[in-house]
Amino acid sequence: MISVILPIYNEEQGLRKFISTLDQELAALNSEFEVIMINDGSKDHSLTILKEICSKNSNYKYINLSRNFGHQIAVTAGIDYAVGEKVVLMDSDGQDPPSVIKDMLQKMEEDYDVVYAKRARRENESFLKKFTAKQFYKLLNRITSIEIPVD
């Protein structure tokens, strides 16, 4: 089984479209799957949409956090509830295209324990966004024993 973990924070605008695309990609895998969506204290109608999605598809589940705890806590909550042998972490804002799941799972079949994707380029982002992202990865690499490539 594959568990897909999706932290959600104020994603009502594109959530249905993203889930539709994700559903198509997962169905094409011909594998058992679950999608765990974690509402991280959204202020918009994201939770209502999550409930709607789960009512229509038993493979989809949601966790509702009482307030915004942040991305990493939301991801951790999803991992805690996942039952799959393989876990895929994705953002639900569309920056991670669901089409990469197949390629990442193929790499796992090649005996990799951890597979991650790297952006080819950052488009439509301000100088400040690019700068802060670069600083984040520098800091992350200082505090971990594993080198994590930028982007």
Side-chain angles (χ1 to χ4, degrees), residues 20-66:
S20 175
T21 303
L22 176 65
D23 202 39
Q24 291 172 9
E25 293 294 333
L26 292 172
L29 295 176
N30 294 318
S31 293
E32 202 175 342
F33 70 88
E34 68 175 351
V35 177
I36 302 173
M37 303 173 290
I38 304 89
N39 182 47
D40 189 20
S42 295
K43 304 279 189 227
D44 64 2
H45 292 91
S46 293
L47 180 59
T48 302
I49 296 168
L50 297 182
K51 289 178 180 180
E52 174 189 312
I53 291 166
C54 292
S55 72
K56 295 177 181 176
N57 190 330
S58 63
N59 291 345
Y60 287 77
K61 304 166 187 159
Y62 74 92
I63 298 169
N64 185 38
L65 301 180
S66 61

mmCIF file of all heavy atoms in Angstrom, residues 20-66:
data_model
loop_
_atom_site.group_PDB
_atom_site.id
_atom_site.type_symbol
_atom_site.label_atom_id
_atom_site.label_comp_id
_atom_site.label_asym_id
_atom_site.label_seq_id
_atom_site.Cartn_x
_atom_site.Cartn_y
_atom_site.Cartn_z
ATOM 1 N N SER A 20 -8.237 15.842 -7.941
ATOM 2 C CA SER A 20 -8.658 15.163 -9.157
ATOM 3 C C SER A 20 -7.438 14.637 -9.925
ATOM 4 O O SER A 20 -7.418 13.488 -10.369
ATOM 5 C CB SER A 20 -9.472 16.118 -10.032
ATOM 6 O OG SER A 20 -9.781 15.515 -11.261
ATOM 7 N N THR A 21 -6.427 15.467 -10.058
ATOM 8 C CA THR A 21 -5.194 15.062 -10.746
ATOM 9 C C THR A 21 -4.493 13.951 -9.971
ATOM 10 O O THR A 21 -4.041 12.963 -10.551
ATOM 11 C CB THR A 21 -4.256 16.277 -10.911
ATOM 12 O OG1 THR A 21 -4.940 17.301 -11.616
ATOM 13 C CG2 THR A 21 -2.989 15.901 -11.658
ATOM 14 N N LEU A 22 -4.410 14.109 -8.658
ATOM 15 C CA LEU A 22 -3.778 13.094 -7.809
ATOM 16 C C LEU A 22 -4.508 11.764 -7.945
ATOM 17 O O LEU A 22 -3.880 10.705 -8.089
ATOM 18 C CB LEU A 22 -3.778 13.562 -6.355
ATOM 19 C CG LEU A 22 -3.246 12.563 -5.327
ATOM 20 C CD1 LEU A 22 -1.755 12.295 -5.554
ATOM 21 C CD2 LEU A 22 -3.488 13.081 -3.913
ATOM 22 N N ASP A 23 -5.821 11.800 -7.918
ATOM 23 C CA ASP A 23 -6.628 10.585 -8.018
ATOM 24 C C ASP A 23 -6.349 9.850 -9.331
ATOM 25 O O ASP A 23 -6.221 8.624 -9.352
ATOM 26 C CB ASP A 23 -8.106 10.947 -7.889
ATOM 27 C CG ASP A 23 -8.941 9.769 -7.456
ATOM 28 O OD1 ASP A 23 -8.484 8.977 -6.602
ATOM 29 O OD2 ASP A 23 -10.063 9.618 -7.970
ATOM 30 N N GLN A 24 -6.252 10.580 -10.418
ATOM 31 C CA GLN A 24 -5.959 9.971 -11.719
ATOM 32 C C GLN A 24 -4.586 9.290 -11.706
ATOM 33 O O GLN A 24 -4.433 8.181 -12.215
ATOM 34 C CB GLN A 24 -6.005 11.022 -12.828
ATOM 35 C CG GLN A 24 -7.382 11.545 -13.116
ATOM 36 C CD GLN A 24 -7.361 12.728 -14.077
ATOM 37 O OE1 GLN A 24 -6.341 13.067 -14.651
ATOM 38 N NE2 GLN A 24 -8.508 13.369 -14.236
ATOM 39 N N GLU A 25 -3.600 9.970 -11.145
ATOM 40 C CA GLU A 25 -2.241 9.416 -11.093
ATOM 41 C C GLU A 25 -2.190 8.159 -10.225
ATOM 42 O O GLU A 25 -1.553 7.172 -10.584
ATOM 43 C CB GLU A 25 -1.246 10.453 -10.576
ATOM 44 C CG GLU A 25 -1.037 11.628 -11.501
ATOM 45 C CD GLU A 25 -0.367 11.264 -12.821
ATOM 46 O OE1 GLU A 25 0.396 10.273 -12.886
ATOM 47 O OE2 GLU A 25 -0.608 11.992 -13.804
ATOM 48 N N LEU A 26 -2.869 8.194 -9.083
ATOM 49 C CA LEU A 26 -2.853 7.042 -8.188
ATOM 50 C C LEU A 26 -3.610 5.856 -8.786
ATOM 51 O O LEU A 26 -3.179 4.709 -8.654
ATOM 52 C CB LEU A 26 -3.425 7.422 -6.822
ATOM 53 C CG LEU A 26 -2.571 8.392 -6.010
ATOM 54 C CD1 LEU A 26 -3.309 8.853 -4.756
ATOM 55 C CD2 LEU A 26 -1.225 7.769 -5.644
ATOM 56 N N ALA A 27 -4.709 6.118 -9.464
ATOM 57 C CA ALA A 27 -5.482 5.048 -10.104
ATOM 58 C C ALA A 27 -4.647 4.353 -11.182
ATOM 59 O O ALA A 27 -4.733 3.133 -11.359
ATOM 60 C CB ALA A 27 -6.771 5.606 -10.692
ATOM 61 N N ALA A 28 -3.812 5.110 -11.876
ATOM 62 C CA ALA A 28 -2.977 4.549 -12.938
ATOM 63 C C ALA A 28 -1.874 3.639 -12.400
ATOM 64 O O ALA A 28 -1.309 2.837 -13.146
ATOM 65 C CB ALA A 28 -2.363 5.678 -13.766
ATOM 66 N N LEU A 29 -1.570 3.736 -11.112
ATOM 67 C CA LEU A 29 -0.508 2.907 -10.524
ATOM 68 C C LEU A 29 -0.935 1.459 -10.321
ATOM 69 O O LEU A 29 -0.091 0.581 -10.142
ATOM 70 C CB LEU A 29 -0.074 3.492 -9.168
ATOM 71 C CG LEU A 29 0.592 4.849 -9.190
ATOM 72 C CD1 LEU A 29 0.868 5.318 -7.765
ATOM 73 C CD2 LEU A 29 1.885 4.810 -10.000
ATOM 74 N N ASN A 30 -2.222 1.214 -10.297
ATOM 75 C CA ASN A 30 -2.739 -0.129 -10.032
ATOM 76 C C ASN A 30 -2.199 -0.698 -8.724
ATOM 77 O O ASN A 30 -1.825 -1.864 -8.648
ATOM 78 C CB ASN A 30 -2.435 -1.080 -11.199
ATOM 79 C CG ASN A 30 -3.176 -0.684 -12.460
ATOM 80 O OD1 ASN A 30 -4.348 -0.320 -12.403
ATOM 81 N ND2 ASN A 30 -2.493 -0.737 -13.583
ATOM 82 N N SER A 31 -2.132 0.145 -7.705
ATOM 83 C CA SER A 31 -1.697 -0.253 -6.369
ATOM 84 C C SER A 31 -2.738 0.214 -5.372
ATOM 85 O O SER A 31 -3.466 1.176 -5.612
ATOM 86 C CB SER A 31 -0.360 0.408 -6.013
ATOM 87 O OG SER A 31 0.669 -0.067 -6.822
ATOM 88 N N GLU A 32 -2.764 -0.469 -4.254
ATOM 89 C CA GLU A 32 -3.630 -0.022 -3.176
ATOM 90 C C GLU A 32 -3.038 1.277 -2.625
ATOM 91 O O GLU A 32 -1.818 1.408 -2.504
ATOM 92 C CB GLU A 32 -3.661 -1.098 -2.087
ATOM 93 C CG GLU A 32 -4.852 -1.044 -1.205
ATOM 94 C CD GLU A 32 -4.881 -2.213 -0.220
ATOM 95 O OE1 GLU A 32 -4.174 -3.221 -0.440
ATOM 96 O OE2 GLU A 32 -5.603 -2.079 0.772
ATOM 97 N N PHE A 33 -3.900 2.236 -2.292
ATOM 98 C CA PHE A 33 -3.394 3.499 -1.771
ATOM 99 C C PHE A 33 -4.379 4.119 -0.797
ATOM 100 O O PHE A 33 -5.554 3.775 -0.774
ATOM 101 C CB PHE A 33 -3.084 4.486 -2.904
ATOM 102 C CG PHE A 33 -4.304 5.020 -3.605
ATOM 103 C CD1 PHE A 33 -4.948 6.167 -3.135
ATOM 104 C CD2 PHE A 33 -4.813 4.392 -4.738
ATOM 105 C CE1 PHE A 33 -6.074 6.671 -3.771
ATOM 106 C CE2 PHE A 33 -5.941 4.887 -5.382
ATOM 107 C CZ PHE A 33 -6.570 6.028 -4.899
ATOM 108 N N GLU A 34 -3.837 5.024 -0.001
ATOM 109 C CA GLU A 34 -4.643 5.891 0.850
ATOM 110 C C GLU A 34 -4.062 7.293 0.729
ATOM 111 O O GLU A 34 -2.868 7.456 0.478
ATOM 112 C CB GLU A 34 -4.612 5.435 2.316
ATOM 113 C CG GLU A 34 -3.261 5.595 2.979
ATOM 114 C CD GLU A 34 -3.252 5.249 4.458
ATOM 115 O OE1 GLU A 34 -4.322 5.033 5.055
ATOM 116 O OE2 GLU A 34 -2.145 5.204 5.030
ATOM 117 N N VAL A 35 -4.911 8.273 0.883
ATOM 118 C CA VAL A 35 -4.469 9.667 0.889
ATOM 119 C C VAL A 35 -4.916 10.246 2.225
ATOM 120 O O VAL A 35 -6.102 10.217 2.554
ATOM 121 C CB VAL A 35 -5.078 10.470 -0.287
ATOM 122 C CG1 VAL A 35 -4.664 11.935 -0.204
ATOM 123 C CG2 VAL A 35 -4.659 9.863 -1.619
ATOM 124 N N ILE A 36 -3.947 10.740 2.976
ATOM 125 C CA ILE A 36 -4.244 11.345 4.271
ATOM 126 C C ILE A 36 -4.004 12.841 4.139
ATOM 127 O O ILE A 36 -2.885 13.284 3.902
ATOM 128 C CB ILE A 36 -3.366 10.752 5.390
ATOM 129 C CG1 ILE A 36 -3.578 9.239 5.454
ATOM 130 C CG2 ILE A 36 -3.691 11.415 6.727
ATOM 131 C CD1 ILE A 36 -2.646 8.530 6.411
ATOM 132 N N MET A 37 -5.081 13.595 4.278
ATOM 133 C CA MET A 37 -5.029 15.050 4.143
ATOM 134 C C MET A 37 -5.118 15.645 5.548
ATOM 135 O O MET A 37 -6.044 15.329 6.300
ATOM 136 C CB MET A 37 -6.179 15.525 3.260
ATOM 137 C CG MET A 37 -6.176 14.871 1.883
ATOM 138 S SD MET A 37 -7.641 15.243 0.881
ATOM 139 C CE MET A 37 -8.901 14.332 1.749
ATOM 140 N N ILE A 38 -4.166 16.486 5.886
ATOM 141 C CA ILE A 38 -4.125 17.070 7.214
ATOM 142 C C ILE A 38 -4.465 18.548 7.112
ATOM 143 O O ILE A 38 -3.706 19.341 6.543
ATOM 144 C CB ILE A 38 -2.736 16.906 7.877
ATOM 145 C CG1 ILE A 38 -2.330 15.433 7.920
ATOM 146 C CG2 ILE A 38 -2.752 17.487 9.280
ATOM 147 C CD1 ILE A 38 -1.587 14.963 6.723
ATOM 148 N N ASN A 39 -5.625 18.916 7.662
ATOM 149 C CA ASN A 39 -6.017 20.320 7.692
ATOM 150 C C ASN A 39 -5.274 20.993 8.850
ATOM 151 O O ASN A 39 -5.531 20.718 10.011
ATOM 152 C CB ASN A 39 -7.522 20.459 7.870
ATOM 153 C CG ASN A 39 -7.937 21.912 7.863
ATOM 154 O OD1 ASN A 39 -7.509 22.679 7.010
ATOM 155 N ND2 ASN A 39 -8.757 22.303 8.817
ATOM 156 N N ASP A 40 -4.358 21.868 8.497
ATOM 157 C CA ASP A 40 -3.491 22.515 9.482
ATOM 158 C C ASP A 40 -4.068 23.872 9.906
ATOM 159 O O ASP A 40 -3.437 24.912 9.735
ATOM 160 C CB ASP A 40 -2.090 22.659 8.897
ATOM 161 C CG ASP A 40 -1.062 23.116 9.920
ATOM 162 O OD1 ASP A 40 -1.312 22.974 11.132
ATOM 163 O OD2 ASP A 40 0.007 23.614 9.499
ATOM 164 N N GLY A 41 -5.293 23.841 10.431
ATOM 165 C CA GLY A 41 -5.906 25.064 10.942
ATOM 166 C C GLY A 41 -6.311 26.057 9.875
ATOM 167 O O GLY A 41 -6.275 27.272 10.109
ATOM 168 N N SER A 42 -6.719 25.579 8.716
ATOM 169 C CA SER A 42 -7.128 26.477 7.629
ATOM 170 C C SER A 42 -8.229 27.422 8.076
ATOM 171 O O SER A 42 -9.140 27.047 8.815
ATOM 172 C CB SER A 42 -7.624 25.668 6.425
ATOM 173 O OG SER A 42 -6.588 24.908 5.872
ATOM 174 N N LYS A 43 -8.164 28.654 7.598
ATOM 175 C CA LYS A 43 -9.168 29.674 7.899
ATOM 176 C C LYS A 43 -10.228 29.760 6.800
ATOM 177 O O LYS A 43 -11.236 30.417 6.965
ATOM 178 C CB LYS A 43 -8.508 31.047 8.046
ATOM 179 C CG LYS A 43 -7.404 31.088 9.079
ATOM 180 C CD LYS A 43 -7.964 31.237 10.462
ATOM 181 C CE LYS A 43 -6.835 31.499 11.436
ATOM 182 N NZ LYS A 43 -6.920 30.686 12.624
ATOM 183 N N ASP A 44 -9.969 29.118 5.663
ATOM 184 C CA ASP A 44 -10.922 29.152 4.556
ATOM 185 C C ASP A 44 -11.817 27.906 4.618
ATOM 186 O O ASP A 44 -11.993 27.317 5.676
ATOM 187 C CB ASP A 44 -10.182 29.272 3.226
ATOM 188 C CG ASP A 44 -9.290 28.071 2.919
ATOM 189 O OD1 ASP A 44 -9.269 27.103 3.718
ATOM 190 O OD2 ASP A 44 -8.621 28.088 1.873
ATOM 191 N N HIS A 45 -12.339 27.465 3.506
ATOM 192 C CA HIS A 45 -13.256 26.326 3.464
ATOM 193 C C HIS A 45 -12.554 25.011 3.114
ATOM 194 O O HIS A 45 -13.198 24.066 2.656
ATOM 195 C CB HIS A 45 -14.388 26.603 2.473
ATOM 196 C CG HIS A 45 -15.298 27.688 2.936
ATOM 197 N ND1 HIS A 45 -15.095 29.005 2.600
ATOM 198 C CD2 HIS A 45 -16.379 27.660 3.741
ATOM 199 C CE1 HIS A 45 -16.024 29.751 3.164
ATOM 200 N NE2 HIS A 45 -16.825 28.957 3.858
ATOM 201 N N SER A 46 -11.258 24.940 3.336
ATOM 202 C CA SER A 46 -10.517 23.714 3.025
ATOM 203 C C SER A 46 -11.083 22.497 3.747
ATOM 204 O O SER A 46 -11.235 21.424 3.151
ATOM 205 C CB SER A 46 -9.031 23.872 3.375
ATOM 206 O OG SER A 46 -8.409 24.818 2.546
ATOM 207 N N LEU A 47 -11.416 22.640 5.032
ATOM 208 C CA LEU A 47 -11.933 21.503 5.795
ATOM 209 C C LEU A 47 -13.246 20.988 5.203
ATOM 210 O O LEU A 47 -13.442 19.766 5.089
ATOM 211 C CB LEU A 47 -12.124 21.873 7.269
ATOM 212 C CG LEU A 47 -12.675 20.755 8.167
ATOM 213 C CD1 LEU A 47 -11.762 19.539 8.140
ATOM 214 C CD2 LEU A 47 -12.865 21.270 9.585
ATOM 215 N N THR A 48 -14.110 21.867 4.787
ATOM 216 C CA THR A 48 -15.377 21.462 4.170
ATOM 217 C C THR A 48 -15.111 20.644 2.910
ATOM 218 O O THR A 48 -15.760 19.622 2.667
ATOM 219 C CB THR A 48 -16.223 22.709 3.823
ATOM 220 O OG1 THR A 48 -16.438 23.457 5.020
ATOM 221 C CG2 THR A 48 -17.542 22.336 3.184
ATOM 222 N N ILE A 49 -14.143 21.071 2.124
ATOM 223 C CA ILE A 49 -13.781 20.358 0.897
ATOM 224 C C ILE A 49 -13.190 18.994 1.236
ATOM 225 O O ILE A 49 -13.506 17.990 0.589
ATOM 226 C CB ILE A 49 -12.820 21.204 0.041
ATOM 227 C CG1 ILE A 49 -13.535 22.473 -0.428
ATOM 228 C CG2 ILE A 49 -12.291 20.395 -1.143
ATOM 229 C CD1 ILE A 49 -12.618 23.514 -1.038
ATOM 230 N N LEU A 50 -12.357 18.922 2.265
ATOM 231 C CA LEU A 50 -11.771 17.641 2.675
ATOM 232 C C LEU A 50 -12.858 16.651 3.073
ATOM 233 O O LEU A 50 -12.831 15.474 2.689
ATOM 234 C CB LEU A 50 -10.796 17.825 3.835
ATOM 235 C CG LEU A 50 -9.560 18.675 3.585
ATOM 236 C CD1 LEU A 50 -8.674 18.708 4.825
ATOM 237 C CD2 LEU A 50 -8.784 18.182 2.391
ATOM 238 N N LYS A 51 -13.814 17.116 3.842
ATOM 239 C CA LYS A 51 -14.922 16.254 4.260
ATOM 240 C C LYS A 51 -15.702 15.749 3.047
ATOM 241 O O LYS A 51 -16.090 14.576 2.981
ATOM 242 C CB LYS A 51 -15.847 17.005 5.214
ATOM 243 C CG LYS A 51 -15.235 17.244 6.572
ATOM 244 C CD LYS A 51 -16.183 18.049 7.463
ATOM 245 C CE LYS A 51 -15.587 18.305 8.834
ATOM 246 N NZ LYS A 51 -16.506 19.085 9.693
ATOM 247 N N GLU A 52 -15.926 16.633 2.093
ATOM 248 C CA GLU A 52 -16.641 16.271 0.874
ATOM 249 C C GLU A 52 -15.878 15.188 0.096
ATOM 250 O O GLU A 52 -16.459 14.186 -0.338
ATOM 251 C CB GLU A 52 -16.813 17.520 0.011
ATOM 252 C CG GLU A 52 -17.406 17.307 -1.353
ATOM 253 C CD GLU A 52 -17.314 18.580 -2.195
ATOM 254 O OE1 GLU A 52 -17.681 19.663 -1.692
ATOM 255 O OE2 GLU A 52 -16.877 18.475 -3.350
ATOM 256 N N ILE A 53 -14.582 15.387 -0.064
ATOM 257 C CA ILE A 53 -13.740 14.425 -0.786
ATOM 258 C C ILE A 53 -13.776 13.063 -0.093
ATOM 259 O O ILE A 53 -13.951 12.026 -0.737
ATOM 260 C CB ILE A 53 -12.289 14.951 -0.893
ATOM 261 C CG1 ILE A 53 -12.237 16.156 -1.840
ATOM 262 C CG2 ILE A 53 -11.337 13.844 -1.362
ATOM 263 C CD1 ILE A 53 -10.952 16.961 -1.762
ATOM 264 N N CYS A 54 -13.646 13.060 1.224
ATOM 265 C CA CYS A 54 -13.621 11.803 1.983
ATOM 266 C C CYS A 54 -14.971 11.094 1.950
ATOM 267 O O CYS A 54 -15.022 9.858 1.982
ATOM 268 C CB CYS A 54 -13.196 12.068 3.425
ATOM 269 S SG CYS A 54 -11.472 12.579 3.545
ATOM 270 N N SER A 55 -16.050 11.840 1.875
ATOM 271 C CA SER A 55 -17.372 11.219 1.826
ATOM 272 C C SER A 55 -17.608 10.493 0.500
ATOM 273 O O SER A 55 -18.422 9.580 0.417
ATOM 274 C CB SER A 55 -18.473 12.257 2.056
ATOM 275 O OG SER A 55 -18.602 13.105 0.932
ATOM 276 N N LYS A 56 -16.860 10.878 -0.528
ATOM 277 C CA LYS A 56 -17.033 10.279 -1.854
ATOM 278 C C LYS A 56 -16.025 9.177 -2.165
ATOM 279 O O LYS A 56 -16.195 8.446 -3.139
ATOM 280 C CB LYS A 56 -16.922 11.373 -2.929
ATOM 281 C CG LYS A 56 -18.028 12.398 -2.870
ATOM 282 C CD LYS A 56 -17.823 13.472 -3.895
ATOM 283 C CE LYS A 56 -18.930 14.519 -3.813
ATOM 284 N NZ LYS A 56 -18.700 15.629 -4.728
ATOM 285 N N ASN A 57 -14.970 9.070 -1.379
ATOM 286 C CA ASN A 57 -13.917 8.106 -1.683
ATOM 287 C C ASN A 57 -13.313 7.576 -0.391
ATOM 288 O O ASN A 57 -12.677 8.330 0.354
ATOM 289 C CB ASN A 57 -12.852 8.778 -2.552
ATOM 290 C CG ASN A 57 -11.853 7.792 -3.107
ATOM 291 O OD1 ASN A 57 -11.556 6.755 -2.502
ATOM 292 N ND2 ASN A 57 -11.306 8.107 -4.259
ATOM 293 N N SER A 58 -13.469 6.289 -0.139
ATOM 294 C CA SER A 58 -12.980 5.693 1.114
ATOM 295 C C SER A 58 -11.461 5.626 1.202
ATOM 296 O O SER A 58 -10.916 5.386 2.283
ATOM 297 C CB SER A 58 -13.576 4.291 1.293
ATOM 298 O OG SER A 58 -13.146 3.442 0.246
ATOM 299 N N ASN A 59 -10.757 5.837 0.105
ATOM 300 C CA ASN A 59 -9.285 5.858 0.140
ATOM 301 C C ASN A 59 -8.743 7.169 0.701
ATOM 302 O O ASN A 59 -7.553 7.282 0.975
ATOM 303 C CB ASN A 59 -8.696 5.648 -1.257
ATOM 304 C CG ASN A 59 -8.920 4.255 -1.773
ATOM 305 O OD1 ASN A 59 -9.264 3.344 -1.031
ATOM 306 N ND2 ASN A 59 -8.740 4.070 -3.071
ATOM 307 N N TYR A 60 -9.616 8.162 0.824
ATOM 308 C CA TYR A 60 -9.213 9.474 1.309
ATOM 309 C C TYR A 60 -9.660 9.645 2.756
ATOM 310 O O TYR A 60 -10.798 9.337 3.104
ATOM 311 C CB TYR A 60 -9.816 10.578 0.441
ATOM 312 C CG TYR A 60 -9.149 10.686 -0.910
ATOM 313 C CD1 TYR A 60 -9.438 9.775 -1.924
ATOM 314 C CD2 TYR A 60 -8.218 11.676 -1.158
ATOM 315 C CE1 TYR A 60 -8.817 9.857 -3.156
ATOM 316 C CE2 TYR A 60 -7.592 11.764 -2.394
ATOM 317 C CZ TYR A 60 -7.890 10.856 -3.382
ATOM 318 O OH TYR A 60 -7.266 10.941 -4.598
ATOM 319 N N LYS A 61 -8.737 10.136 3.579
ATOM 320 C CA LYS A 61 -9.005 10.372 4.999
ATOM 321 C C LYS A 61 -8.499 11.767 5.335
ATOM 322 O O LYS A 61 -7.624 12.293 4.654
ATOM 323 C CB LYS A 61 -8.267 9.351 5.854
ATOM 324 C CG LYS A 61 -8.599 7.920 5.498
ATOM 325 C CD LYS A 61 -7.615 6.962 6.116
ATOM 326 C CE LYS A 61 -7.917 5.566 5.581
ATOM 327 N NZ LYS A 61 -6.826 4.667 5.700
ATOM 328 N N TYR A 62 -9.017 12.325 6.402
ATOM 329 C CA TYR A 62 -8.501 13.621 6.817
ATOM 330 C C TYR A 62 -8.283 13.650 8.321
ATOM 331 O O TYR A 62 -8.908 12.924 9.075
ATOM 332 C CB TYR A 62 -9.396 14.779 6.371
ATOM 333 C CG TYR A 62 -10.678 14.917 7.160
ATOM 334 C CD1 TYR A 62 -10.726 15.744 8.292
ATOM 335 C CD2 TYR A 62 -11.828 14.241 6.790
ATOM 336 C CE1 TYR A 62 -11.898 15.865 9.022
ATOM 337 C CE2 TYR A 62 -12.992 14.373 7.507
ATOM 338 C CZ TYR A 62 -13.024 15.184 8.627
ATOM 339 O OH TYR A 62 -14.178 15.308 9.348
ATOM 340 N N ILE A 63 -7.348 14.489 8.700
ATOM 341 C CA ILE A 63 -7.075 14.810 10.098
ATOM 342 C C ILE A 63 -7.275 16.304 10.207
ATOM 343 O O ILE A 63 -6.785 17.065 9.366
ATOM 344 C CB ILE A 63 -5.625 14.443 10.488
ATOM 345 C CG1 ILE A 63 -5.384 12.946 10.331
ATOM 346 C CG2 ILE A 63 -5.307 14.918 11.905
ATOM 347 C CD1 ILE A 63 -3.917 12.543 10.436
ATOM 348 N N ASN A 64 -7.990 16.754 11.221
ATOM 349 C CA ASN A 64 -8.216 18.180 11.414
ATOM 350 C C ASN A 64 -7.465 18.634 12.659
ATOM 351 O O ASN A 64 -7.828 18.257 13.774
ATOM 352 C CB ASN A 64 -9.718 18.463 11.550
ATOM 353 C CG ASN A 64 -10.003 19.939 11.623
ATOM 354 O OD1 ASN A 64 -9.355 20.738 10.946
ATOM 355 N ND2 ASN A 64 -10.961 20.314 12.443
ATOM 356 N N LEU A 65 -6.421 19.407 12.468
ATOM 357 C CA LEU A 65 -5.679 19.959 13.604
ATOM 358 C C LEU A 65 -6.443 21.161 14.154
ATOM 359 O O LEU A 65 -7.045 21.925 13.405
ATOM 360 C CB LEU A 65 -4.262 20.350 13.194
ATOM 361 C CG LEU A 65 -3.392 19.214 12.638
ATOM 362 C CD1 LEU A 65 -2.001 19.740 12.280
ATOM 363 C CD2 LEU A 65 -3.288 18.054 13.605
ATOM 364 N N SER A 66 -6.404 21.343 15.465
ATOM 365 C CA SER A 66 -7.208 22.372 16.132
ATOM 366 C C SER A 66 -6.795 23.795 15.775
ATOM 367 O O SER A 66 -7.583 24.723 15.903
ATOM 368 C CB SER A 66 -7.148 22.189 17.648
ATOM 369 O OG SER A 66 -5.809 22.307 18.097
#
